[in-house]
Amino acid sequence: MLRDPSTKYRPFPTIDLPDRRWPSQTITKAPRWLSTDLRDGNQALIDPMDAEKKTRMFDLIVKVGIKEIEVGFPAAGATEFDFISGLVRDGRIPDDTTIQVLTQSRRDLIETSFASLRGAPRAIVHLYNAVSPAWRKIVFGMSRAEVKQIAIDGAMILRDQAAAQPDTDWFFEYSPETFSTAELDFSLEVCEAVMDVLRPTADHKLILNLPATVECATPNVYADQIEWFSRNIRNRDTVALSLHPHNDRGTGVAAAELGLMAGADRVEGCLLGNGERTGNCDLVTVALNMYTQGLDPKLDFSDIDAVVNTVNYCTQLPVHPRTPYAGDLVFTAFSGSHQDAIKKGFAAQEAKNDPLWEVPYLPIDPADLGRSYEAVIRVNSQSGKGGVAWVIEQDKGLKLPKRLQADFSRHVQRLADETSREMNASDIWGLFEATYLARGEDRFRLLDYTESGSVGDRLFVGHVAVDGEERSISGRGNGLISGVIAALSDTTGPQLDVVDYSEHAIGHGADAQAAAYVECRSADGRTVFGVGIDADIATASVRAVLSAANRT
């Protein structure tokens, strides 16, 4: 890398728009969405989609609710042409959906594009040619006037081809490709020349697509470009301004959002951001960003995993686990402090009557996207007691007291450090059972018991295996637990004092079990915990005391 990059690169010029309005605007409604997965996304693949994958992707795009779909570049080859014409011939296009095809401004390519759409009830033909200085000078060797004439000639062919197929309701889109690096006045001049040919009306608008073909500046500059164009294009009510942001600088989503604030009507992009170089704008992210602001994006991502799986299958590209909203790990916390905040947030959400979502670290409810809460908190060596407790509660329904959470988390931490891997729910439950619940090798194992007496004077008589030998033990106390402790102290058991006790039902209904937790202090001052689970709450509490005794 150069120590002085200014010798090789120059900053992109700002836009002279001192009274810009977009910074004070907010997005208040969903835009028109166009998916270009089957065109821009497909041409970015190492192995382009075959007909089966194209069909599956098309069906997904329709299912999530995108109403305008750029289905291909029909002049690119037989696979593209046959797929597009097959959609029309087989009646696969829903009544509320419009397909779109892309073509360069050349007669043979435009005619092929119209031929692929023969018989369609309605369609959009998307015409483009590059207009920026670098393309004019380096690629084409043409003047402004010559480049503008390319656009005019293409528009005239569109007009004439549409007139030859009057049974189709034709719409047109024009892109001054490389708009983001072109002079604004020239882009405007070319677009208005196209308008002069196609004569759009307020009832039958021309789509003017203003692509950030290459992201060349911060997204606020793109927003300035869009606002300037929107304010200066004549007969604004006869055109729909469309955004097509690429992601070269990593701000494609931001560019789309600021572009909408600047007055655009439509957003083009791909599901999960596939596209050439660094990708097209990620439509899932833009739509769900709106959703988290209380706006209906008019798209359905209630089964986000199905979207991810289909896109992955069709493109053969993995979805990064940290991809916003869609990645495997975006709703997952490993950090102890994050886990604690999320756990408290879920508890607060459940306790309040207000449905307004307010959970730390989770800008959206995972359930709205078809994700379960079980995967929100996962445990590794970075996790804390809150995360461990969450996994136990979600997996087994146990609501561990805070001091027991801290005690158990030390065991989990030790195992995580030893294994250097994530602890799944099975690992954690197995460790919990081994640490607190009854095992065959325990010194004290409950076989049976009875309880009798009056309030404040209870007698516990237990049939217990002590060091493998069946014995009868008994003790008297003011309650069942104190009776068990007395019985243990009268035998070879430890001397225990109860510090804390809690219990709760596990689940609901007649078959629900109960969990009991006891915190005790032994004669030598150590704190020990015991856990008991049984269909009967009294038996669960007896098991909890014996569990604590076994841990001394």
Side-chain angles (χ1 to χ4, degrees):
M1 295 179 65
L2 301 174
R3 292 301 89 200
D4 181 11
S6 68
T7 61
K8 188 173 184 179
Y9 303 99
R10 60 183 180 272
F12 193 83
T14 58
I15 308 302
D16 183 18
L17 197 67
D19 61 340
R20 59 181 57 83
R21 303 176 192 131
W22 66 260
S24 61
Q25 302 301 309
T26 57
I27 299 171
T28 58
K29 64 178 182 179
R32 291 169 58 177
W33 302 102
L34 174 113
S35 161
T36 187
D37 291 88
L38 290 166
R39 199 277 302 171
D40 208 340
N42 189 48
Q43 72 186 38
L45 302 178
I46 297 172
D47 297 310
M49 289 178 258
D50 58 19
E52 186 270 334
K53 288 178 178 175
K54 276 178 165 285
T55 300
R56 187 176 293 198
M57 180 66 82
F58 179 81
D59 290 343
L60 172 66
I61 296 165
V62 169
K63 184 177 180 180
V64 302
I66 295 175
K67 303 304 182 186
E68 297 176 28
I69 306 171
E70 192 163 78
V71 290
F73 199 136
T79 299
E80 293 280 283
F81 187 97
D82 292 345
F83 171 71
I84 295 164
S85 60
L87 289 175
V88 176
R89 182 183 62 252
D90 298 340
R92 294 187 56 83
I93 307 164
D95 292 339
D96 62 351
T97 301
T98 304
I99 62 171
Q100 172 174 306
V101 298
L102 180 72
T103 179
Q104 292 170 307
S105 188
R106 275 176 38 192
R107 176 174 292 278
D108 58 327
L109 304 183
I110 296 172
E111 290 175 349
T112 299
S113 299
F114 274 88
S116 73
L117 295 167
R118 192 175 304 279
R122 83 206 138 273
I124 303 169
V125 181
H126 179 186
L127 176 77
Y128 77 96
N129 67 301
V131 299
S132 69
W135 266 254
R136 297 196 307 262
K137 179 178 66 174
I138 299 170
V139 180
F140 303 130
M142 290 184 174
S143 66
R144 276 192 176 199
E146 290 171 316
V147 166
K148 179 173 134 180
Q149 192 61 47
I150 291 174
I152 293 171
D153 291 345
M156 294 173 67
I157 300 169
L158 289 187
R159 180 195 61 194
D160 296 343
Q161 286 290 308
Q165 297 185 43
D167 292 339
T168 297
D169 188 8
W170 295 105
F171 293 84
F172 303 119
E173 175 174 343
Y174 173 69
S175 290
E177 193 197 8
T178 65
F179 167 83
S180 55
T181 52
E183 309 93 334
L184 283 171
D185 64 330
F186 184 55
S187 293
L188 183 72
E189 180 184 336
V190 174
C191 287
E192 290 186 340
V194 170
M195 291 171 66
D196 288 341
V197 174
L198 297 177
R199 299 186 177 279
T201 66
D203 295 328
H204 210 278
K205 297 183 179 184
L206 168 66
I207 302 165
L208 290 178
N209 186 47
L210 306 178
T213 306
V214 178
E215 267 201 314
C216 56
T218 49
N220 60 295
V221 174
Y222 185 58
D224 282 348
Q225 292 173 322
I226 300 303
E227 181 170 334
W228 185 95
F229 194 95
S230 179
R231 287 162 61 173
N232 286 278
I233 187 76
R234 71 167 184 258
N235 300 328
R236 174 66 176 85
D237 64 330
T238 68
V239 297
L241 293 189
S242 185
L243 308 173
H244 186 105
H246 279 252
N247 200 44
D248 301 86
R249 293 170 58 94
T251 58
V253 167
E257 292 177 330
L258 299 190
L260 289 173
M261 292 162 58
D265 309 296
R266 186 174 184 256
V267 175
E268 300 189 359
C270 292
L271 298 175
L272 303 174
N274 178 37
E276 286 190 299
R277 300 183 311 279
T278 55
N280 284 190
C281 175
D282 182 343
L283 297 186
V284 174
T285 299
V286 178
L288 292 178
N289 282 352
M290 292 181 189
Y291 184 83
T292 66
Q293 303 304 300
L295 291 178
D296 179 5
K298 307 298 183 183
L299 300 180
D300 182 5
F301 295 115
S302 58
D303 189 354
I304 195 68
D305 288 335
V307 173
V308 170
N309 292 338
T310 301
V311 171
N312 175 260
Y313 169 77
C314 292
T315 65
Q316 296 298 295
L317 293 176
V319 175
H320 194 283
R322 298 296 182 186
T323 298
Y325 303 109
D328 283 345
L329 298 179
V330 294
F331 300 123
T332 300
F334 291 102
S335 163
S337 61
H338 290 204
Q339 292 173 341
D340 182 62
I342 292 171
K343 182 172 179 288
K344 290 175 179 175
F346 272 115
Q349 191 74 21
E350 187 175 346
K352 68 179 184 179
N353 293 323
D354 184 357
L356 189 67
W357 182 252
E358 191 176 20
V359 175
Y361 294 112
L362 294 179
I364 192 172
D365 185 349
D368 289 357
L369 305 183
R371 292 276 177 88
S372 67
Y373 294 143
E374 283 77 0
V376 170
I377 291 176
R378 287 162 57 176
V379 175
N380 62 15
S381 62
Q382 304 299 306
S383 305
K385 63 182 185 299
V388 173
W390 168 269
V391 173
I392 286 283
E393 181 174 349
Q394 295 300 306
D395 188 44
K396 298 297 181 182
L398 300 185
K399 301 176 182 179
L400 308 186
K402 284 192 176 297
R403 287 171 60 83
L404 177 57
Q405 293 177 24
D407 186 75
F408 181 49
S409 70
R410 288 192 290 269
H411 295 271
V412 176
Q413 180 78 38
R414 187 181 305 116
L415 182 59
D417 285 336
E418 290 172 355
T419 59
S420 298
R421 64 173 177 83
E422 179 187 350
M423 299 289 98
N424 59 36
S426 177
D427 295 326
I428 293 170
W429 179 245
L431 184 59
F432 188 85
E433 284 186 305
T435 304
Y436 300 105
L437 299 182
R439 299 172 299 170
E441 64 270 23
D442 285 342
R443 186 178 183 208
F444 301 99
R445 289 189 296 113
L446 179 67
L447 302 176
D448 197 5
Y449 79 96
T450 60
E451 183 192 13
S452 61
S454 57
V455 175
D457 183 18
R458 306 296 294 174
L459 175 65
F460 168 81
V461 178
H463 187 205
V464 177
V466 181
D467 295 326
E469 179 185 345
E470 294 186 13
R471 296 176 59 177
S472 179
I473 63 174
S474 62
R476 190 177 294 276
N478 60 8
L480 176 59
I481 290 177
S482 59
V484 177
I485 289 176
L488 287 171
S489 63
D490 287 346
T491 61
T492 58
Q495 301 289 324
L496 296 174
D497 290 323
V498 176
V499 176
D500 187 46
Y501 171 82
S502 61
E503 63 185 42
H504 67 81
I506 305 173
H508 305 280
D511 296 332
Q513 287 195 306
Y517 312 98
V518 63
E519 178 184 348
C520 299
R521 184 172 292 110
S522 64
D524 59 3
R526 288 188 299 126
T527 296
V528 292
F529 294 87
V531 180
I533 298 175
D534 198 88
D536 174 64
I537 187 58
T539 303
S541 63
V542 174
R543 294 188 185 281
V545 175
L546 294 180
S547 168
N550 286 323
R551 298 199 69 231
T552 60

